[in-house]
Amino acid sequence: MSHNSFGHLFRVTTWGESHGPAIGCVVDGCPPGIALSEADIQPWLDRRKPGQSKFTTQRREADEVRILSGVFEGQTTGTPIALQIENTDQRSKDYSDIATRYRPGHADVTYDLKYGHRDYRGGGRSSARETASRVAAGGVARQVLTALLGEQVRIRAALVQIGAISIDRSRWDWAETERNPLFSPDAGIVSQWEELLGAIRKDGSSIGAVVEVVAEGPPPGLGAPIYGKLDSDLAAALMSINGVKGVEIGEGFAAAQLQGEQNADPMRMKNGKIVFESNHAGGILGGISTGQPIVARFAMKPTSSILTPVPSVNREGQEIDVMTKGRHDPCIGIRAVPVGEAMMACVLADHLLRDHAQNGWPTTSR
Amino acid sequence: MSHNSFGHLFRVTTWGESHGPAIGCVVDGCPPGIALSEADIQPWLDRRKPGQSKFTTQRREADEVRILSGVFEGQTTGTPIALQIENTDQRSKDYSDIATRYRPGHADVTYDLKYGHRDYRGGGRSSARETASRVAAGGVARQVLTALLGEQVRIRAALVQIGAISIDRSRWDWAETERNPLFSPDAGIVSQWEELLGAIRKDGSSIGAVVEVVAEGPPPGLGAPIYGKLDSDLAAALMSINGVKGVEIGEGFAAAQLQGEQNADPMRMKNGKIVFESNHAGGILGGISTGQPIVARFAMKPTSSILTPVPSVNREGQEIDVMTKGRHDPCIGIRAVPVGEAMMACVLADHLLRDHAQNGWPTTSR
Amino acid sequence: MSHNSFGHLFRVTTWGESHGPAIGCVVDGCPPGIALSEADIQPWLDRRKPGQSKFTTQRREADEVRILSGVFEGQTTGTPIALQIENTDQRSKDYSDIATRYRPGHADVTYDLKYGHRDYRGGGRSSARETASRVAAGGVARQVLTALLGEQVRIRAALVQIGAISIDRSRWDWAETERNPLFSPDAGIVSQWEELLGAIRKDGSSIGAVVEVVAEGPPPGLGAPIYGKLDSDLAAALMSINGVKGVEIGEGFAAAQLQGEQNADPMRMKNGKIVFESNHAGGILGGISTGQPIVARFAMKPTSSILTPVPSVNREGQEIDVMTKGRHDPCIGIRAVPVGEAMMACVLADHLLRDHAQNGWPTTSR
Amino acid sequence: MSHNSFGHLFRVTTWGESHGPAIGCVVDGCPPGIALSEADIQPWLDRRKPGQSKFTTQRREADEVRILSGVFEGQTTGTPIALQIENTDQRSKDYSDIATRYRPGHADVTYDLKYGHRDYRGGGRSSARETASRVAAGGVARQVLTALLGEQVRIRAALVQIGAISIDRSRWDWAETERNPLFSPDAGIVSQWEELLGAIRKDGSSIGAVVEVVAEGPPPGLGAPIYGKLDSDLAAALMSINGVKGVEIGEGFAAAQLQGEQNADPMRMKNGKIVFESNHAGGILGGISTGQPIVARFAMKPTSSILTPVPSVNREGQEIDVMTKGRHDPCIGIRAVPVGEAMMACVLADHLLRDHAQNGWPTTSR
């Protein structure tokens, strides 16, 4: 058991605080002989990097990843891969006033209740900065998936809702997510979102969002019932992202309103393979992938750091008001998009190896 | 790693198929000296038992649990607790026609794709019958929580939505959940639900539902960031229940629509302890319990076994239509209520022990 | 983490006390499609069964194993395999006098110090009876090894030393181990051992022994450095057997006396494969199998239950003398032979699956 | 599961190759509020550092440890502790000739068989350099033990045998181990050992050794039967050290020659506590610590790198002779002394936390 690890056979252990010298992770269990260099990981980190639009924190981090072990002459060796990212723009002084004040919605109070002693600078371990390690690990996971399954697997995410404004799914275009800074698959909604975010930012407020992650082309057979179900592991992985309050697969909560015949995914044969005529299940049945796209969504709460004063208490038990200045994302859902992708990649890589263990390699022949 | 275990320090390993001689589980890590007998577990199993209303499967199981180890003279000994429930009403013949037919929405096709060889009788391992083992383990977890924390912790669940009909939260009454067979906390909605379910059953159809699980009186400090967050483990636990398609904590998906100040839970001091003035967070901040009630909800899809024929295929790759006769629940959400409670109890017991390891015992002094 | 499980991908969880209704285990992670029935497991249990010679305990147990899950139509399904053995000859009364007396050399005192409450009957959980579950799991592991690797892998053990009397290795004959009740590979030593054991038994004393376990024909590549080394896992597995005080691989402690050139195993090519000209390493280099026979030895202490009174204390803190009557093995090393084999089989099956996960399937092509 | 982690609740994950930019580890699960700085770890690393006598490798490493996370204002925070040591004296050229040659006794051949692709420089991941990470983690473990148990626990190791020359136990003096570079507790044997090692080194040969590790003052109750026995975990931990071929506890293999009454440890009462009159058991009964000193020994094989040519093969399958020049320890047993201590410290810290989880905190009140 490890509190700071996820995955079982593709196992990632992350470490580091927001304002320590560096953050990083160790990826253990990666198969040998897989092409890997910093250049395979950096683009994903760049995608998540702060300061890329006016709607994300203005903290500026180079976020340059360094591989310290596990790779030799451009290929993985099967030994642990240590990844490290230096913290360069920490500005500890900005946070000196929160050393003893519990910011509502943040983990300040619970870390203190649990541990008694915490690194309060920038949220310390509970900072969203930790997600950079996830994205780096996700870069490794993508290399594994490509090496073992070919280009068939494609993992992408998009923002599908900000506040009460949802995208129009009929306009979904993956290419569009690369073109706008909000990762919207619907070009038509971007200006509305920007307007909303502008107002939110002006008010010193923040807003929630929903992210959708899709893995296309997964092999069938991934997932290990009963307690290593693919959807169960995805739920844990996505819920572990800072600020996530809900996770759903396929129809998700909407399934509660459906009747059996509405939710059924009919099967037909096509070129000797089973195909499904719909995907209400989100690509998972009984905890095992069907081969259809795996579809997951998660809800992000609004950033807790806002300019509106909120009643709170401090370490000494005094009642205070807390208002959080500083460099914050008005909508943390935006930067969660690449994080969601990374978690999907890691979960799939893990389950691919788990399936190999029990059922042989490659899974692709199914 | 174990595909069929959950929890880390309060660790449950379940086994058994729907139509095998028995099902059961092994609970490892239970502290010694805790009062435990079959009588502590049986009531929870009885609550989940099929055949109790016309809206649950008519399969009749005694569901009598037997403790085979780990308890001596009425107390746990710290060694593994083996629990066993015999299968008595299997009627294997009912299922002979599905040996080679893939029932849409069921795990038939994915188990076959993954394992090649499966016990198809009644869904085999993928049957909801497995959840009886969870409920039994949950009974042990409740004893642990009571022994270590006193009566302060109370874990209950309720059905809050069937199809499009949600309860009126202003009428919430926990006592009511014990009085109606649908576990509704809102007496006023029961007749509407019964009417809906009656119509659904008559049509040979099925309907989805939403269950809410609440743990009152938990100690603060449970949950181990970053990857053993309490909400992350709850999400995994609840998502692993057959038919669950979504999980949320506190505001859940509704948080996506909120602004920061709407979602904040102000803190005040009361009798020297921190109290929260609202609970949008669902009792968890940064993956750690705040001491407020822990609130989780999960969405159940409609039962996949329906009388309406759905296009499917069989093992030989022929296109067929599948219509599932037999004894099924029109709304599996109903019987999921005690299962959800059991998962909450197990997750809390596990995290209580995990917290003890790192932070000392008892947690209650906070 | 689980205190009562071993292995990672071929994972065995055992439960049960000496005088409870039954003992058993759950084997999780077994690949699907492997032939398995009670008849594949029973012979190994029969080999370990008490009461087969005058030098083993006269407790009589049928030790009949029952498979309760995970097997359908004669083949494993990939789901957990529950194995159960009823306790039939418990004679609890024999042990009533030890409820509060700490037998020297036994776990009575430490279980009480740790747990405060224990099942003292026959040693409860600490009884050697638990090893029947290991042997049953070993039977499953052997089926896995045979199914995945063919008949090439052969796991056998022998007694090589009782007290100060060691076998003559030049007379080693595996067939002989099946002919004498002491599992000696050296026919010439049997009468000396029987004479020694006869005297020991007559004196109400007991004697230690050394067991050697050999796995012939393993594939190279098993073992996962640095902390899942094959030898490290074997050491843990063998040391976990009741009464084991030492474990060695290949030359073992004798290697401490050797110079580098004496301990080297020269390599040559033969039919396009690497062959070793000696096996000082015991088939493992850097924690990974070489393909040579894997050779492990373990030392068993003398049975602690003896007729000679030994100063001790009781639960109340009074000084007493303890003399243990009852049905005991004068040399527990004898019945440890099939247990050692079982542990080797389980460790190899586990590492075979672990290697598959990272390096593909089958391992045999190397 | 993680191949490169050990421990469960005090969990250490190591990474790094002999000639990569750095090596290090992540320690997860450390309780919060424990005093820790580089100065607490460095002395143990210095003790293990190469180049301190003519009998250890002349490779010169600063071996300066850096704490990158998990510590704030001099105290642990309960979050993962990342430790890092730069590799400064790698001299990769020295090893260029072994890129394709399999050095007998080394892991070259097995890593290649298993992974196909390996970092051959200086042994890569299989280099004894990895043990620096263990020693660093051991430094953290010692701080945990001191913080939770006080100064009562003292973990020390000594060299007790080189080749055929064993110490005289009647002259055992722990202070002496700090005075001579061979960690001998017997001042009288040092000159004999130096003479032997001088001759061995002159011949370009190497020699085996035996190390004894003792933990004085442990609390009773550590160890989690059946498969988390303290001796089982110690065996795994010590056997995982490069070059170890045997592990024993207490009497170890000598117990095989003893009769029950010779091996018994009589118990008496003293000041209301149970005391043992001897310690044949090495401080462990039934896998649980008794409170007596925990005594473990391990056998190190002679260094495989010798000047004598040994028949071998290369990657291309050609038969060659291998003679290993370079900077090697003639007796790797010497530098294994602090490594053995570190493993003992880590295992005890892990079991202390495991015991807390199930049995409460502190363990010391027993």
Side-chain angles (χ1 to χ4, degrees), chain C residues 114 130 205 221 227 232 261 355, chain D residues 114 130 205 221 227 261 355:
Chain C
K114 184 179 186 78
E130 188 269 346
S205 185
Y227 299 103
S232 177
E261 60 279 10
D355 191 56
Chain D
K114 184 179 186 78
E130 187 269 345
S205 185
Y227 298 103
E261 59 278 11
D355 191 56

Side-chain angles (χ1 to χ4, degrees), chain A residues 138-163:
Chain A
V140 180
R142 286 174 187 269
Q143 292 297 106
V144 171
L145 293 171
T146 302
L148 301 186
L149 299 171
E151 302 289 338
Q152 61 160 316
V153 181
R154 194 157 184 191
I155 297 167
R156 292 180 291 197
L159 209 56
V160 297
Q161 183 185 333
I162 298 184

